[in-house]
C-alpha cells in the first residue's frame, strides 16, 4: 500500500459525501468545457462554404483545416512537459478568452479582405486558434482524468453535443436564413459557450474537485521517477495549503521557486532524493522522456486512439458526403448526415458512462467490427445503396460506435495509475493521440476523394 495515496483517498471520500447539487454543478461545468472545446472549430467547419465564397478558386475545404491540425498536434505533443510552466488558469480561462476574440475576428477578415493577404491571415488565425484550442481541450481532458471516469464521461458527452448543437442551428439557418453568412450565427453560439465556461470556472475554483486537482499538481512537483517507480517526498505538517484561485494563477511561479530552492539547498532538500542514484525529477523531465514514460504507463491506449480516429476520418466526412442527393436537397442531405453522426457520437459517449459495458478487449472487438462500414460507405457513395435513410442510419451507427470507443479509451487510460498528476498527463497524451489520428485519417482519406465517380 502506498502511504502517499492517503491524502488523495481521504479527499475522494470527502467528495463522496458532498451534496448532489454540488456534484451536479461540477458535471455541468465539465459538460460546458466539452461543448466549448469543439464548438468554435465546429462552427468554422460548418461554415466552410462561407470562406469558399470569399476566396473563390482556392481549395478552402482541404487547405483551411491544415493549420488547425498542425497547431493542435504541436501543442498536444509538448503539453505533457510544458503544462507545469503554464497555470491552469491560463490554459483554461485565457485560452477561452483568446479563442472568443479569434472566432469573431476570423470571418471578419474573410469578409473584408478577399486578397491573398486576407487568405493567409485566415490561415494564420486558424493556426493560433489551434494552439489555444489544444491548451483548453487537452487541459480539460487532464482535469477530468484526475477527478475520475464520471467526469471524463461528462466532458466527452459535451464534445459530442457540441457538433449536434451546431448542426441543428445549421439546419435552422437553412430553413430560415438561407445565407452563407449564417456563419456569424454559429460563431456567436460558440462564443456564448466559451463565455459560459469562463464564468463557471471561477465558481469551480471553490469546489473540493478543484482542490483535488491542485493537490495532484503539488504532488507532481515533489515527485521523482526511480526505475519507473514514483517516489514523492512527504510535505511538512506545518505547510499551509493554499487552494485559492491565486495559487492556480501563480502555479508556474511556485514550480520555479521550488526548483530554485532545490538548487540552492543541496544538503537539505536533496537529502531524501540522494537515496536513489537513477532518479529523474518529473518536473524537469524533457519532452521525449515525458512522452516515453507516459506512453509506457498508458500503453496501448494512446496507440489505439490514433488508430480509431484514422479509421473514422478515412470515411467521415469525406466519403460520407459523397452520397448523391438532388441538387436542391444536397445541403439538407449533408446536414442530416452530419447530424446523424453527431447524435450517434453523443449517444455512444453517454452509453460509455456505464463502466460495466466495456473493457479493453470489448472495445478492440468493436473497433475491428467497424471496418464493415468501409463497405457500406463505399457502396453508398457509388450508389449501390442509394436510399437516403440507409445513409443516415449508417452514419448514425458509425458515430455511435466512435463515441462509445473514444470515451471507453479515455476512461481506461487514467485507470492505468493511481496518481492524480499521472492521470492528467495521460489525458494530455490521449488528447494528442486523438488530434494526431484525425489528421492522419484526413490525409489518408484522399485516395477515396473521387470514389463516387
Amino acid at each position: 500500500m502506498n502511504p502517499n495515496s492517503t491524502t488523495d483517498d481521504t479527499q475522494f471520500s470527502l467528495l463522496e459525501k458532498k451534496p448532489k447539487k454540488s456534484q451536479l454543478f461540477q458535471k455541468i461545468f465539465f459538460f460546458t468545457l466539452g461543448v466549448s472545446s469543439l464548438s468554435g472549430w465546429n462552427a468554422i467547419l460548418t461554415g466552410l462554404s462561407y470562406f469558399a465564397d470569399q476566396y473563390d478558386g482556392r481549395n478552402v475545404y482541404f487547405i483551411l483545416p491544415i493549420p488547425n491540425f498542425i497547431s493542435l498536434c504541436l501543442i498536444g505533443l509538448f503539453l505533457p512537459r510544458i503544462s507545469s510552466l503554464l497555470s491552469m488558469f491560463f490554459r483554461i480561462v485565457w485560452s477561452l478568452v483568446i479563442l472568443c476574440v479569434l472566432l469573431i475576428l476570423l470571418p471578419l477578415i474573410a469578409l473584408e479582405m478577399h486578397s491573398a493577404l486576407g487568405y493567409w491571415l485566415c490561415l494564420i488565425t486558424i493556426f493560433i486558434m489551434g494552439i489555444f484550442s489544444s491548451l483548453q481541450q487537452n487541459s480539460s481532458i487532464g482535469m477530468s482524468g484526475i477527478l475520475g471516469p464520471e467526469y471524463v464521461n461528462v466532458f466527452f458527452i459535451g464534445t459530442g453535443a457540441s457538433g449536434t448543437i451546431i448542426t441543428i442551428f445549421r439546419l435552422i439557418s437553412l430553413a430560415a436564413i438561407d445565407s452563407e453568412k449564417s456563419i456569424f450565427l454559429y460563431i456567436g453560439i460558440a462564443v456564448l459557450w466559451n463565455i459560459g465556461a469562463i464564468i463557471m470556472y471561477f465558481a469551480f475554483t471553490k469546489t473540493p474537485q478543484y482542490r483535488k486537482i491542485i493537490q495532484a499538481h503539488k504532488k507532481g512537483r515533489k515527485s521523482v521517477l526511480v526505475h519507473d517507480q514514483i517516489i514523492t517526498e512527504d510535505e511538512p505538517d506545518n505547510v499551509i495549503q493554499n487552494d485559492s484561485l491565486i495559487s492556480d494563477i501563480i502555479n508556474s511561479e511556485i514550480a520555479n521557486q521550488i526548483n530554485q530552492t532545490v538548487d540552492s539547498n543541496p544538503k537539505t532538500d536533496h537529502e531524501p532524493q540522494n537515496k536513489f542514484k537513477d532518479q529523474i525529477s518529473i518536473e524537469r523531465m524533457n519532452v521525449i522522456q515525458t512522452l516515453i514514460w507516459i506512453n509506457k504507463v498508458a500503453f496501448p491506449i494512446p496507440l489505439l486512439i490514433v488508430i480509431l480516429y484514422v479509421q473514422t476520418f478515412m470515411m467521415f466526412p469525406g466519403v460520407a458526403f459523397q452520397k448523391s442527393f438532388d441538387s436542391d436537397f444536397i445541403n439538407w442531405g449533408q446536414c442530416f448526415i452530419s447530424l446523424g453522426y453527431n447524435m450517434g457520437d453523443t449517444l455512444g459517449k453517454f452509453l460509455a458512462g456505464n463502466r460495466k459495458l466495456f473493457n479493453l478487449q470489448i472495445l478492440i472487438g468493436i473497433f475491428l467490427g467497424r471496418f464493415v462500414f468501409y463497405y457500406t460507405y463505399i457502396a453508398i457513395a457509388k450508389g449501390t445503396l442509394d436510399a437516403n435513410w440507409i445513409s443516415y442510419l449508417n452514419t448514425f451507427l458509425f458515430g455511435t460506435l466512435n463515441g462509445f470507443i473514444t470515451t471507453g479509451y479515455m476512461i481506461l487510460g487514467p485507470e492505468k495509475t493511481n496518481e492524480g498528476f499521472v492521470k492528467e498527463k495521460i489525458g494530455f497524451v490521449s488528447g494528442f493521440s486523438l488530434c494526431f489520428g484525425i489528421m492522419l485519417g484526413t490525409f489518408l482519406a484522399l485516395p477515396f476523394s473521387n470514389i463516387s465517380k
Side-chain angles (χ1 to χ4, degrees):
M1 183 175 179
N2 184 5
N4 292 323
S5 65
T6 305
T7 302
D8 288 342
D9 293 340
T10 303
Q11 287 193 349
F12 181 76
S13 63
L14 289 173
L15 293 179
E16 294 280 311
K17 300 176 183 178
K18 289 293 174 182
K20 289 185 178 180
K21 185 176 180 180
S22 175
Q23 295 278 335
L24 178 62
F25 163 77
Q26 290 137 27
K27 289 181 179 180
I28 292 174
F29 170 60
F30 274 89
F31 174 83
T32 305
L33 282 178
V35 175
S36 63
S37 69
L38 289 182
S39 59
W41 184 239
N42 282 330
I44 294 171
L45 287 180
T46 305
L48 276 179
S49 56
Y50 166 81
F51 295 97
D53 287 344
Q54 305 302 318
Y55 299 108
D56 188 31
R58 297 184 181 271
N59 192 356
V60 165
Y61 293 97
F62 178 72
I63 298 296
L64 220 59
I66 291 178
N68 183 66
F69 288 145
I70 294 173
S71 54
L72 282 174
C73 289
L74 279 176
I75 296 300
L77 184 65
F78 287 97
L79 188 58
R81 174 63 188 90
I82 66 174
S83 60
S84 60
L85 306 176
L86 301 171
S87 70
M88 194 164 67
F89 181 82
F90 179 87
R91 287 184 277 127
I92 301 294
V93 175
W94 274 111
S95 291
L96 288 171
V97 170
I98 294 171
L99 281 171
C100 285
V101 174
L102 295 177
L103 279 169
I104 296 170
L105 185 63
L106 182 63
L108 293 177
I109 292 174
L111 182 65
E112 298 297 331
M113 302 177 67
H114 303 287
S115 62
L117 176 61
Y119 183 67
W120 280 101
L121 281 175
C122 284
L123 294 177
I124 293 170
T125 302
I126 289 173
F127 178 83
I128 298 172
M129 284 179 61
I131 292 174
F132 292 100
S133 179
S134 182
L135 284 175
Q136 187 266 332
Q137 178 179 328
N138 292 348
S139 296
S140 299
I141 295 173
M143 287 166 55
S144 65
I146 293 174
L147 297 179
E150 58 198 305
Y151 291 92
V152 175
N153 178 234
V154 169
F155 174 82
F156 278 97
I157 290 174
T159 62
S162 174
T164 304
I165 292 167
I166 295 295
T167 307
I168 288 174
F169 276 96
R170 168 64 172 162
L171 289 169
I172 293 173
S173 70
L174 283 174
I177 303 174
D178 195 24
S179 170
E180 293 305 333
K181 290 185 179 179
S182 57
I183 187 175
F184 291 99
L185 171 65
Y186 315 143
I187 293 293
I189 295 165
V191 168
L192 287 176
W193 278 105
N194 286 0
I195 293 173
I198 292 169
I199 294 171
M200 294 183 74
Y201 180 89
F202 289 95
F204 177 70
T205 59
K206 299 177 174 62
T207 65
Q209 280 80 0
Y210 173 82
R211 290 193 290 273
K212 184 177 181 180
I213 294 170
I214 294 299
Q215 188 64 35
H217 291 169
K218 290 179 179 178
K219 189 172 183 180
R221 290 195 296 269
K222 296 181 295 175
S223 299
V224 296
L225 204 62
V226 183
H227 300 297
D228 290 336
Q229 297 296 316
I230 298 171
I231 307 297
T232 304
E233 180 184 351
D234 291 332
E235 191 170 48
D237 293 335
N238 61 350
V239 173
I240 300 174
Q241 298 288 346
N242 180 8
D243 296 318
S244 68
L245 179 60
I246 299 301
S247 71
D248 174 24
I249 297 174
I250 63 173
N251 182 38
S252 58
E253 295 180 7
I254 293 176
N256 292 333
Q257 290 172 4
I258 290 175
N259 290 337
Q260 291 171 5
T261 304
V262 168
D263 292 337
S264 62
N265 298 282
K267 292 185 180 180
T268 57
D269 291 345
H270 280 192
E271 187 174 350
Q273 298 178 2
N274 285 336
K275 297 176 184 177
F276 311 103
K277 294 182 180 179
D278 299 324
Q279 69 182 21
I280 303 174
S281 171
I282 292 175
E283 186 71 19
R284 296 182 175 185
M285 290 170 68
N286 62 40
V287 173
I288 302 300
Q289 288 174 321
T290 303
L291 287 175
I292 291 174
W293 169 49
I294 293 300
N295 276 281
K296 284 172 66 177
V297 173
F299 184 82
I301 300 301
L303 176 62
L304 292 174
I305 293 172
V306 172
I307 297 172
L308 170 65
Y309 274 83
V310 169
Q311 180 194 56
T312 296
F313 277 79
M314 283 184 69
M315 291 292 108
F316 182 88
V319 177
F321 281 3
Q322 292 187 49
K323 167 75 172 75
S324 61
F325 294 102
D326 294 336
S327 58
D328 59 345
F329 189 72
I330 186 167
N331 288 334
W332 287 92
Q334 290 184 353
C335 270
F336 285 131
I337 290 175
S338 181
L339 181 63
Y341 176 85
N342 285 299
M343 289 180 66
D345 187 53
T346 307
L347 175 62
K349 289 169 178 175
F350 174 79
L351 293 175
N354 187 342
R355 185 61 181 80
K356 296 178 181 179
L357 292 179
F358 65 88
N359 56 34
L360 185 59
Q361 291 73 27
I362 289 174
L363 294 178
I364 293 175
I366 296 173
F367 162 78
L368 293 174
R370 286 179 90 226
F371 279 106
V372 72
F373 288 97
Y374 276 52
Y375 166 76
T376 57
Y377 268 123
I378 292 172
I380 291 169
K382 287 181 173 294
T384 307
L385 299 173
D386 195 43
N388 290 352
W389 70 267
I390 294 178
S391 178
Y392 304 149
L393 179 62
N394 184 70
T395 303
F396 175 79
L397 294 175
F398 191 65
T400 300
L401 296 180
N402 181 80
F404 185 80
I405 300 172
T406 298
T407 306
Y409 285 158
M410 291 295 181
I411 288 173
L412 289 177
E415 289 182 357
K416 296 277 189 176
T417 178
N418 292 323
E419 298 290 355
F421 65 93
V422 184
K423 291 177 184 286
E424 181 178 48
K425 292 184 183 295
I426 290 174
F428 295 159
V429 172
S430 297
F432 163 74
S433 298
L434 190 152
C435 295
F436 188 60
I438 291 174
M439 183 175 71
L440 284 181
T442 301
F443 285 112
L444 291 174
L446 291 178
F448 298 97
S449 58
N450 295 313
I451 202 167
S452 60
K453 296 181 179 179

